[in-house]
Amino acid sequence: MKILIAYDGSECVDAAVFDMPRAGLPCCGNVLALCVGRSGAQGAVPESAGNKIRSQLPGWTIACESSAGSPEDVILSTSRLWRPDLLIIGARMQSGRTQMGNVTLDVAHRALCSVRVVPSETAQRREGPIRLLLGYDGSSRTQQAIGSVGRRSWPAR
């Protein structure tokens, strides 16, 4: 399995990384942590991303890349080139509700693979049942996404 993580060092993306063991992922695969910003992600951010991801997915091969530019354009173009099975991006919480900003919405709508949008509150909710929301429009792409989720290795309960 190949996973692309849009990593910006924010609390919501850290929550997404922290929640990866509950994402039904196999025991090994490849991760590309894409550290992106309008002026480029420098130094400690890619290193920090790699360390945090390794702590959650010890059997996986982790690579980190930095890129400058429009975050949604860089994430989507990298996704088209690298062809991940899953793209992970965070979402902020505001007044108890998930708020997907322009980047998250654009990536979720235009990505050619499954997208896991993880709200920042997930870090506090590690216990209890896993909650999933799958968008379904009857297309073959949504059928493929549902099949992909069904084939994952979900934790007990």
Side-chain angles (χ1 to χ4, degrees):
M1 177 173 227
K2 290 171 60 175
I3 299 174
L4 175 63
I5 300 176
Y7 194 91
D8 63 1
S10 66
E11 177 185 323
C12 56
V13 175
D14 282 341
V17 168
F18 186 62
D19 192 58
M20 288 177 78
R22 292 174 39 100
L25 303 174
C27 63
C28 59
N30 295 303
V31 173
L32 173 59
L34 180 62
C35 303
V36 62
R38 297 207 183 273
S39 60
Q42 301 294 327
V45 175
E47 183 178 328
S48 172
N51 291 337
K52 288 176 184 178
I53 296 165
R54 271 184 210 89
S55 73
Q56 299 303 315
L57 299 173
W60 287 60
T61 301
I62 315 293
C64 298
E65 220 176 81
S66 295
S67 190
S70 162
E72 55 268 43
D73 291 341
V74 172
I75 293 165
L76 290 166
S77 65
T78 301
S79 178
R80 285 187 191 100
L81 289 172
W82 198 59
R83 301 181 57 114
D85 301 299
L86 177 65
L87 193 156
I88 297 176
I89 193 166
R92 289 175 173 70
M93 295 296 294
Q94 186 173 348
S95 304
R97 296 184 64 161
T98 302
Q99 298 292 314
M100 291 197 289
N102 292 341
V103 172
T104 302
L105 282 171
D106 199 26
V107 168
H109 284 127
R110 294 176 45 207
L112 299 177
C113 63
S114 294
V115 178
R116 180 177 170 86
V117 178
V118 183
S120 57
E121 75 160 4
T122 301
Q124 291 101 30
R125 204 176 17 84
R126 288 268 318 222
E127 299 301 321
I130 295 170
R131 300 184 322 177
L132 299 175
L133 172 65
L134 298 174
Y136 180 76
D137 64 3
S139 69
S140 63
R141 287 180 56 198
T142 58
Q143 291 284 32
Q144 290 172 346
I146 290 169
S148 173
V149 169
R151 288 187 297 276
R152 292 209 192 141
S153 305
W154 296 102
R157 300 180 318 155

